[in-house]
């Protein structure tokens, strides 16, 4: 998440009011009901993006940093932390299926001496936060050298499960054995911990790389006979992952939610009249994720489209995409939250709109016009504390004057 090249065609200390740590009681409306909306932040671990700040820290230092991020959420009157616990087919808990993540110790498979996910759940709940466990289903490595994976890694034991593409390794979504295994690996965490949600990001089939093809010929020959073309078969593979994962979560923990944060454009209207007035990569066609269907059919509990563009963007306008997604969610059981590109605010190389401290706040103001939009999630934690150009503190001051309960 947050990689501009994959989403847009393809982080001053906090102000005093956000660092006091004081938490007021949720404000009640005239009917006595507490304010309820999603206010989340992603806490990314892949490549030590947000946490841990570096691999190889002591267990005590890692734990202290993690708890510090939960406190950051509280100080900014957020109510949900989306913690990446399976960044590259590895684990931030003692998994029965996959090795310990190298982001902890610097060595894949080496135990860190504590239980990050277990600690995160307990400490988040102690602060009134929801903890959403963020999994990447199919990414195996951010390189293509299988010998760099620990010898016990399932991808080394089953090399036929893996496809090298775009400088990375992926599990092949077209293999039923792979689909069952990645579900087993993720469900291991759900069985062990009372996570508030299972959360997927936007990585299903990999984003297109010019001049390369994802080699799933053998899988298609073996399993794609019932489909008119490979794209339809690939979409069915992802549909099955979503449906099966949803059913397995509910069977084990009925109160645990299942949410997905897809790329913000389903299809362009020029391709499909049901699509948005955009000119962007299309999740339906390019990564074989029929995100609109998942919402319309109510397969998932919530959706957080990554609307990582400014208001007025010529190719993908935030002001166009919010009402489009609101219309998709209307009448569905799936709750709509909006993914916000906090990482762009004030960042070097971003355009004029993202150098305006008010841009992000305007997003929240616009979204209030649509009752289906029930909150926002910010990418990502490091950018919350960086608070470049005061964009996040402006959001808190203007929109989060009181704490809110997370939706359930």
């Amino acid at each position: 998440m947050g990689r501009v090249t994959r989403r847009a065609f393809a982080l001053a200390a906090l102000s005093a009011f956000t660092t006091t740590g004081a938490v007021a009681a949720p404000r009640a409306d005239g009917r006595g009901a507490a304010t309820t909306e999603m206010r989340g932040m992603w806490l990314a671990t892949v490549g030590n993006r947000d946490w841990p700040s570096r691999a190889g820290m002591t267990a005590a230092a890692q734990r202290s940093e993690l708890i510090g991020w939960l406190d950051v959420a509280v100080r900014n009157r957020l109510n949900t932390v989306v913690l990446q616990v399976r960044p590259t087919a590895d684990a931030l808990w003692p998994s029965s299926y996959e090795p310990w993540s190298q982001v902890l110790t610097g060595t894949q498979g080496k135990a860190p001496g504590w239980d990050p996910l277990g600690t995160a759940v307990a400490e988040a709940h102690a602060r009134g936060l929801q903890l959403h466990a963020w999994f990447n289903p199919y990414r195996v490595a951010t390189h293509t050298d299988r010998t760099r994976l620990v010898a016990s890694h399932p991808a080394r034991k089953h090399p036929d499960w893996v496809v090298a593409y775009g400088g990375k390794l992926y599990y092949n979504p077209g293999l039923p054995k792979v689909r069952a295994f990645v579900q087993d690996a993720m469900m291991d965490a759900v069985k062990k911990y009372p996570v508030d949600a299972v959360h997927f990001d936007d990585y299903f089939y990999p984003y297109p790389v010019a001049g390369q093809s994802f080699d799933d010929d053998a899988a298609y020959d073996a399993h794609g006979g019932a489909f008119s073309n490979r794209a339809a078969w690939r979409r069915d593979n992802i549909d099955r992952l979503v449906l099966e994962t949803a059913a397995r979560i509910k069977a084990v923990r009925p109160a645990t939610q299942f949410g997905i944060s897809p790329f913000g454009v389903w299809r362009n209207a020029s391709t499909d009249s049901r699509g948005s007035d955009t000119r962007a990569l299309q999740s339906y066609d390019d990564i074989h994720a029929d995100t609109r269907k998942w919402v319309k059919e109510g397969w998932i509990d919530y959706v957080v489209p990554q609307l990582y563009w400014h208001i007025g963007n010529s190719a993908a306008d935030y002001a166009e995409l919010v009402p489009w997604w609101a219309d998709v969610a209307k009448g569905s059981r799936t709750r709509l939250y909006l993914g916000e590109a906090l990482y762009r605010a004030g960042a070097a190389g971003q355009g004029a709109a993202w150098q305006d401290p008010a841009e992000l706040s305007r997003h929240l103001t616009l979204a209030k016009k649509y009752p289906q939009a029930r909150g926002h999630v910010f990418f990502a934690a490091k950018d919350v504390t960086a608070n470049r150009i005061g964009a996040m503190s402006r959001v808190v001051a203007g929109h989060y004057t009181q704490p809110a309960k997370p939706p359930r």
Side-chain angles (χ1 to χ4, degrees), residues 100-118:
W100 281 104
S101 177
Q102 66 183 17
V103 305
L104 297 169
T105 64
T107 302
Q108 190 175 64
K110 183 179 178 180
W114 68 300
D115 182 354
L117 178 53

Side-chain angles (χ1 to χ4, degrees), residues 144-160:
T144 58
D145 185 356
R146 300 186 196 194
T147 66
R148 291 170 57 184
L149 303 175
V150 66
S152 62
H153 199 293
R156 294 190 67 176
K157 293 181 176 180
H158 303 279
D160 55 308

